[in-house]
Amino acid sequence: MVLKKVENRLERLFERTLSRPFKNALQPVEIGTRIVREVDLTRRLSSQGPLSPNQIRVWLGPVDAARFDGFQKALVSELQETVRQHAVSEGYSFVGPVAVEIFIDDDIKVGDMAVKADFVGGESQPRLIASDGRSFAVGEHPLVIGRSPDVAVVVNDSNVSRRHAEVWRTSEGVAVRDLQSTNGTFVNGHRITAVSLSPRDEVTVGTLHFRIELA
């Protein structure tokens, strides 16, 4: 299921900007699929459960790399999100923030690639992931969710209050609080006032769903 979502997202992002000038030219979804496979092969077990590598390095040949000129930043962003979503679906945790880097290797042929996945410790950076694909870092200040254009997470839904809910960091992780909204904030289908969140929890505001990534 995750790989299918990855394929659809990457294809939508690049279908109008990339062509296949060579029969064996590398496609973005192939990179995403290879990274997911490498993550699964490299994962480790710990007392807290399975750990996913969080630093992914990809080497492409010069011909394939040239095809992504002008779109490499978008590709890296999508590949990082691919790693995060796959980790959540498999119940993996991270030892630090997810990072994907792309390099050029003159010895790699068209359509080929090399991928290396490592574990690199770092400060936790929780993120709020929306079902529409948006991602927001949960920093020192609470993230307010609402219909107002002035809040951090804008939801264009008439059932959402102008300042509907907020997500903030706690000493244990991340929590969500309803801001006395008209239609309520729900976690796993239950209306809440304030509650701590885990990566498995689903927060619903209007018709939009959110999850927390504690990487």
Side-chain angles (χ1 to χ4, degrees), residues 40-87:
D40 287 338
L41 290 173
T42 315
R43 72 187 188 279
R44 299 174 181 172
L45 292 177
S46 73
S47 57
Q48 287 76 39
L51 295 177
S52 168
N54 60 303
Q55 184 183 75
I56 314 297
R57 287 175 288 176
V58 180
W59 287 267
L60 306 178
V63 174
D64 283 317
R67 297 180 63 238
F68 301 126
D69 281 349
F71 307 101
Q72 190 176 106
K73 184 176 180 180
L75 176 60
V76 166
S77 178
E78 289 297 326
L79 293 174
Q80 289 177 167
E81 182 61 17
T82 295
V83 175
R84 296 187 187 104
Q85 290 196 14
H86 181 66

Side-chain angles (χ1 to χ4, degrees), residues 64 105 115 187 192:
D64 283 317
D105 187 332
V115 177
V187 175
I192 59 93

Side-chain angles (χ1 to χ4, degrees), residues 12-211:
R12 284 197 302 270
L13 180 63
F14 292 99
E15 64 183 358
R16 296 181 180 178
T17 57
L18 295 180
S19 60
R20 184 186 283 270
F22 301 100
K23 181 179 179 180
N24 297 320
L26 196 63
Q27 296 300 299
V29 67
E30 295 174 288
I31 304 175
T33 302
R34 176 67 179 276
I35 286 176
V36 166
R37 186 177 71 178
E38 195 68 23
V39 165
D40 287 338
L41 290 173
T42 315
R43 72 187 188 279
R44 299 174 181 172
L45 292 177
S46 73
S47 57
Q48 287 76 39
L51 295 177
S52 168
N54 60 303
Q55 184 183 75
I56 314 297
R57 287 175 288 176
V58 180
W59 287 267
L60 306 178
V63 174
D64 283 317
R67 297 180 63 238
F68 301 126
D69 281 349
F71 307 101
Q72 190 176 106
K73 184 176 180 180
L75 176 60
V76 166
S77 178
E78 289 297 326
L79 293 174
Q80 289 177 167
E81 182 61 17
T82 295
V83 175
R84 296 187 187 104
Q85 290 196 14
H86 181 66
V88 169
S89 71
E90 296 297 321
Y92 301 161
S93 300
F94 295 108
V95 297
V98 175
V100 173
E101 297 178 282
I102 296 178
F103 303 93
I104 299 175
D105 187 332
D106 291 337
D107 294 329
I108 295 180
K109 299 179 180 179
V110 174
D112 290 340
M113 75 183 97
V115 177
K116 182 173 176 58
D118 293 305
F119 298 81
V120 179
E123 183 180 358
S124 174
Q125 177 60 74
R127 301 189 69 83
L128 180 68
I129 311 297
S131 56
D132 61 7
R134 290 181 293 165
S135 175
F136 307 88
V138 184
E140 296 180 0
H141 303 289
L143 283 178
V144 177
I145 305 170
R147 202 175 70 253
S148 171
D150 300 325
V151 302
V153 184
V154 179
V155 181
N156 293 317
D157 185 336
S158 59
N159 293 315
V160 174
S161 299
R162 290 180 62 80
R163 293 175 62 85
H164 194 104
E166 66 178 6
V167 174
W168 79 101
R169 295 183 70 166
T170 69
S171 57
E172 290 79 25
V174 177
V176 62
R177 175 189 295 120
D178 183 75
L179 298 178
Q180 298 182 336
S181 65
T182 301
N183 294 310
T185 301
F186 296 81
V187 175
N188 301 328
H190 301 285
R191 188 165 182 166
I192 59 93
T193 301
V195 67
S196 296
L197 296 172
S198 76
R200 292 291 183 181
D201 293 327
E202 181 180 75
V203 179
T204 303
V205 174
T207 58
L208 199 61
H209 304 291
F210 299 90
R211 62 176 173 81

